[in-house]
Amino acid sequence: SSLTLAYTAVTSAYSVQLTDFVVDCTSGTFTVMLPTAIGIVGKQFVIKNSGTGVITVDGNGSETIDGALTFILSTKGEGIWVVSDGANWKVI
């Protein structure tokens, strides 16, 4: 059997939902906002830039992504896989 995970294609600013897994940014330059990492230890998301724009992945409020407030996907084909540690996001 195979594993099926949620896939969402977006073309403008997007707030990641807890039901998402892969968020595919297919065109444009915009920000993808992660939900709060608090209370969802182990929750994972993949953000992919499959377009030609620049995607800014933004932690919730002052929450960080490997210690930074944002993570930039500036090149087509780049992606980031993050996991909640219960307080912030870690790149895996």
Side-chain angles (χ1 to χ4, degrees):
S1 71
S2 64
L3 176 65
T4 302
L5 299 168
Y7 170 88
T8 304
V10 298
T11 58
S12 62
Y14 184 71
S15 294
V16 177
Q17 304 299 302
L18 292 179
T19 54
D20 290 329
F21 179 64
V22 173
V23 176
D24 187 9
C25 305
T26 59
S27 69
T29 293
F30 55 90
T31 299
V32 172
M33 292 133 309
L34 294 171
T36 182
I38 297 169
I40 58 170
V41 173
K43 184 68 174 171
Q44 300 176 31
F45 299 106
V46 174
I47 314 300
K48 171 85 173 174
N49 182 358
S50 63
T52 57
V54 175
I55 305 304
T56 301
V57 182
D58 191 2
N60 185 281
S62 62
E63 294 175 6
T64 61
I65 303 165
D66 271 3
L69 291 175
T70 61
F71 192 96
I72 306 298
L73 303 173
S74 58
T75 306
K76 183 176 184 173
E78 274 188 299
I80 183 176
W81 188 328
V82 294
V83 61
S84 168
D85 68 3
N88 293 289
W89 295 97
K90 305 282 186 186
V91 177
I92 56 174

